[in-house]
Amino acid sequence: MTESIRRDGEYETSENPYANPYEGAQQHAYAQQAAAEGEYQTSAVNPEWPPPPAQPPVALAVDGAPKKRARRPFALLAAVAIVAAAVGGGTAYGIQELTGSDTVVSSSTSASVVPSSQKGTVSGVAKAVSPSIVEISATSSAGSSTGSGVIITSDGEIITNNHVVSGATSVKVSTSDGKEYTAEVVGTDASKDLALIKLQDASGLTAATLGDSDGVQVGDEVVAIGSPEGLTGTVTSGIVSALNRDVTVSTDESQQQQQQQGGGSGQWPFEFGGQEFNGDTGSSTTTYKAIQTDASLNPGNSGGALIDMNGNIIGINSAMYSASGSSSSSSEAGSVGLGFAIPINTVKADLDTLRAGGTDS
């Protein structure tokens, strides 16, 4: 305790022993009581010393130890953090709702391109992604074919299937707003049934967001967008039915160009489980691991997008099951809920090769 040093005659007079302006009889009594209760560590209180300024009482816990003042804001934030860690994505969803952010955390840890007011809806996915999906018309010596493609850069790089453009002498592309472009084939990779084409004199296009197919799970909801039978911008939906399906397709140009615009066989060759569907796959084939979906796919969807509910591309649609043979008309064939897509991580890993001209290995 800090002591006050009194100079002789400064405070005390013979008439008033408590002339100290900080001390009177009441204060002196209070100091004596406090000393008796152990509040001050001195053995006795000199009545001539002024007591310290009055302090607010200290709240005592049950055991007599002073209570610590709770830091409420920190405690509240800590509680929120603990709850968030416990319930994970649900809390992230709730916070996103409160903040109005358009970004949510998906199972594939990829960002959402669907507005928050429409997330989780097929209509929201279709509205957000449709501007990134195109219709491709390819002409070759074998005829003409119609397929789909996904814009991956604003200046017109487009991913599609190799069997849509392989051997083409002319490629025309229509975007969702009705504009038409001439495209050139940059590179093809028959072993993965992938191709990269580039629009001429294009800019300001809406590029799709490529997701993470490693995060896809069986049962996830998906949306497919493409141009089946030349019906531009057709949207279907379903779920991921299975993963890592071995799918075999033809690498022969004569077999690949079996989709005839406006009729004909309308099927691309496809083999699964040792059986051939939609026509003969020919003598030259390639096999890849595919995402299986029950979203409706039909001739013309090939090269289009398989999309998660956050609007991220998780696959490039490539094949469909149909019991109809190559001699049947397209009107007799159609989706039976067995479609297949090339995982988007396979596409991303192949982009450098495609940009360099591709490979036939």
Side-chain angles (χ1 to χ4, degrees):
M1 175 178 177
T2 302
E3 298 181 354
S4 299
I5 300 175
R6 177 177 60 83
R7 292 192 295 269
D8 293 339
E10 183 174 349
Y11 300 119
E12 184 177 349
T13 62
S14 58
E15 290 82 6
N16 184 6
Y18 303 112
N20 183 347
Y22 299 102
E23 182 174 300
Q26 182 176 359
Q27 286 87 344
H28 180 63
Y30 171 81
Q32 289 179 321
Q33 179 182 358
E37 293 175 352
E39 186 171 352
Y40 303 112
Q41 299 301 315
T42 55
S43 59
V45 177
N46 190 330
E48 298 182 21
W49 294 347
Q55 298 293 328
V58 178
L60 299 178
V62 175
D63 59 1
K67 292 183 179 178
K68 293 183 178 180
R69 182 174 298 175
R71 297 181 179 179
R72 294 182 181 273
F74 175 81
L76 179 60
L77 290 175
V80 171
I82 292 171
V83 174
V87 301
T91 299
Y93 177 89
I95 293 174
Q96 183 267 334
E97 283 294 307
L98 292 173
T99 60
S101 171
D102 287 343
T103 301
V104 298
V105 179
S106 71
S107 62
S108 60
T109 70
S110 52
S112 176
V113 298
V114 180
S116 60
S117 60
Q118 294 182 297
K119 66 177 178 290
T121 66
V122 174
S123 60
V125 172
K127 183 177 180 180
V129 183
S130 288
S132 302
I133 311 302
V134 301
E135 179 181 306
I136 299 173
S137 298
T139 303
S140 71
S141 58
S144 61
S145 64
T146 301
S148 305
V150 179
I151 300 171
I152 61 171
T153 63
S154 61
D155 61 351
E157 281 190 340
I158 294 172
I159 284 289
T160 186
N161 287 141
N162 177 58
H163 72 255
V164 171
V165 299
S166 180
T169 56
S170 173
V171 179
K172 300 292 184 182
V173 172
S174 298
T175 54
S176 63
D177 57 4
K179 292 183 179 180
E180 294 187 355
Y181 296 87
T182 298
E184 62 179 0
V185 178
V186 176
T188 61
D189 189 344
S191 66
K192 297 181 177 65
D193 196 20
L194 291 172
L196 180 69
I197 65 175
K198 177 72 183 301
L199 304 186
Q200 296 179 4
D201 302 321
S203 62
L205 301 178
T206 302
T209 300
L210 306 185
D212 178 9
S213 52
D214 287 344
V216 175
Q217 301 181 38
V218 173
D220 284 352
E221 293 182 83
V222 290
V223 174
I225 305 179
S227 300
E229 303 290 0
L231 300 174
T232 305
T234 297
V235 177
T236 57
S237 65
I239 63 168
V240 172
S241 304
L243 300 171
N244 299 316
R245 291 296 201 198
D246 287 326
V247 171
T248 301
V249 296
S250 174
T251 58
D252 291 339
E253 291 180 9
S254 60
Q255 296 292 331
Q256 292 168 348
Q257 297 292 339
Q258 290 198 21
Q259 295 182 71
Q260 302 297 320
Q261 187 173 9
S265 66
Q267 307 299 302
W268 58 86
F270 159 53
E271 179 182 316
F272 178 74
Q275 301 182 59
E276 293 179 350
F277 304 99
N278 311 331
D280 184 10
T281 56
S283 59
S284 179
T285 61
T286 184
T287 301
Y288 55 83
K289 299 290 186 180
I291 298 171
Q292 180 182 329
T293 179
D294 69 350
S296 179
L297 301 181
N298 290 282
N301 275 112
S302 193
L306 189 67
I307 313 156
D308 68 17
M309 299 309 290
N310 286 323
N312 301 297
I313 311 300
I314 59 170
I316 300 297
N317 299 321
S318 59
M320 54 162 277
Y321 170 93
S322 175
S324 299
S326 59
S327 61
S328 302
S329 67
S330 60
S331 61
E332 294 174 326
S335 174
V336 292
L338 293 173
F340 301 89
I342 302 167
I344 200 63
N345 285 5
T346 299
V347 177
K348 291 190 287 187
D350 206 33
L351 272 179
D352 288 342
T353 298
L354 294 173
R355 285 170 173 152
T359 178
D360 291 330
S361 60

